[in-house]
Amino acid sequence: MNIKSLLLGSAAALAAVSGAQAADAIVAAEPEPMEYVRVCDAFGTGYFYIPGTETCLKIGGFIRFQVDYGDHAVNKRQGWGAAGDSDWDAFSRAYISFDAKSDTEYGTLTGFFAAEFNADNDSDVGDSLIDVDEAYIQLGGLKAGFFYNWWDKGLNGETDTLGNNTEFNSIAYLYDGGSFQAGLSIDELEGATTHPNGVGVSGIVSASLGGVSFDLLGGYDSELEEGAIRALLSADLGPGVFQLAGIWASDPNAYWEKSEWTVAASYRFNATDKLAITPGVQYFDGLSHGTFDFSNDDAWRAGVTLDYKITEGLATRVSVQYEDADGAEDQVFGFVRLQRDF
């Protein structure tokens, strides 16, 4: 009886130990708390909070396929009447941007970066490259970095040319009073003129009332000691938008070098919710021909741009332009584009 009791006791003890080990094996560890991405609506649609921070981030961009035709478009020329070996050129482009914003006691703090990735089999055209499109820091109205100048703003459509060099490493300040804005920018003109250490100053005043807005812009090239002024009017008119612009320059400079003066106009007609038709025209007087002096030659350009929204995020654009310049053959040029935005 003693041996039997001993065996039964040992078996019971062993079962108890095994049961305890089995119980320990199936106990799951407490899960770590998970932080989900939160939507940030303080700065508009598309922003979300970077986990663990109070900084809001927006990622955007587009994918583009485009076919250019005509010497003017294919060769990306700066002068008048340049000829090339190809009548058309196809290329693809990917654009991606990162926009980070947060609130501070000095206003909104922004860090913005955008890059272009271009694919073109013809390296002579200069499109097979990766390019930093913009990279800047902005605090309130103060902005510093590589970004587009106010000269980049143009008319609707693809007919007009209203800026010579429009992207610089700059320090700028813009006062935004809602219906009234005023800004000043100090621009590095390296690569934009023949001088390696050029400095430019550009300034803008803008006003808007209802469906009408007006910009007055000026730029001064300190190395060439020349400048240019530009005015642009935009007004809602009927089922579309009418725009008118004019430029005068003392002589060719980093901000405007194509002609002594020019005037351009366009009208974006919103035919339907998906289709817009934009005819445009521009006249140039005193062409520069790529020199540092204006000539007595003139030129004019007319064309139309068609925009069609295929579906949400996918659109096509067709540009057809005609140009007649003194000392050059008449040209028909433009492009067909398919673009997916996100």
Side-chain angles (χ1 to χ4, degrees), residues 194-219:
T194 58
H195 301 275
N197 297 302
V199 176
V201 179
S202 55
I204 189 172
V205 291
S206 302
S208 59
L209 180 62
V212 179
S213 62
F214 178 77
D215 297 340
L216 182 62
L217 173 63

Side-chain angles (χ1 to χ4, degrees), residues 21-217:
Q21 290 177 342
D24 292 340
I26 63 174
V27 174
E30 197 69 28
E32 293 291 330
M34 180 178 293
E35 183 175 1
Y36 293 91
V37 173
R38 295 178 295 149
V39 173
C40 173
D41 56 8
F43 305 105
T45 60
Y47 288 90
F48 61 90
Y49 285 99
I50 299 174
T53 74
E54 292 301 314
T55 299
C56 298
L57 179 66
K58 181 177 182 179
I59 302 174
F62 63 78
I63 306 296
R64 174 186 298 174
F65 173 72
Q66 181 168 313
V67 178
D68 295 335
Y69 62 89
D71 285 339
H72 190 308
V74 172
N75 294 292
K76 317 292 191 298
R77 63 178 176 78
Q78 295 297 319
W80 300 93
D85 298 328
S86 177
D87 295 327
W88 66 277
D89 179 64
F91 73 94
S92 298
R93 173 173 297 165
Y95 174 93
I96 188 166
S97 64
F98 301 89
D99 188 5
K101 293 182 181 292
S102 59
D103 283 323
T104 74
E105 63 271 31
Y106 302 106
T108 301
L109 174 62
T110 299
F112 184 86
F113 169 76
E116 289 182 351
F117 303 81
N118 298 285
D120 193 319
N121 290 335
D122 185 1
S123 59
D124 292 336
V125 178
D127 286 330
S128 299
L129 51 85
I130 299 174
D131 176 56
V132 175
D133 193 57
E134 290 187 280
Y136 63 81
I137 299 169
Q138 184 171 356
L139 180 60
L142 184 64
K143 190 175 182 179
F146 185 66
F147 53 88
Y148 287 97
N149 189 273
W150 298 301
W151 282 89
D152 183 66
K153 182 179 179 181
L155 306 185
N156 291 325
E158 294 288 341
T159 303
D160 65 285
T161 299
L162 295 176
N164 191 48
N165 296 287
T166 61
E167 199 174 19
F168 309 100
N169 276 298
S170 306
I171 298 176
Y173 182 81
L174 180 68
Y175 167 77
D176 189 350
S179 60
F180 175 79
Q181 295 180 326
L184 184 67
S185 175
I186 307 298
D187 312 311
E188 182 193 28
L189 304 182
E190 185 177 26
T193 69
T194 58
H195 301 275
N197 297 302
V199 176
V201 179
S202 55
I204 189 172
V205 291
S206 302
S208 59
L209 180 62
V212 179
S213 62
F214 178 77
D215 297 340
L216 182 62
L217 173 63

Side-chain angles (χ1 to χ4, degrees), residues 219-242:
Y220 178 74
D221 185 333
S222 66
E223 292 296 310
L224 297 180
E225 298 183 345
E226 304 291 350
I229 56 174
R230 187 185 79 181
L232 193 155
L233 174 70
S234 180
D236 294 339
L237 184 63
V241 179
F242 172 75

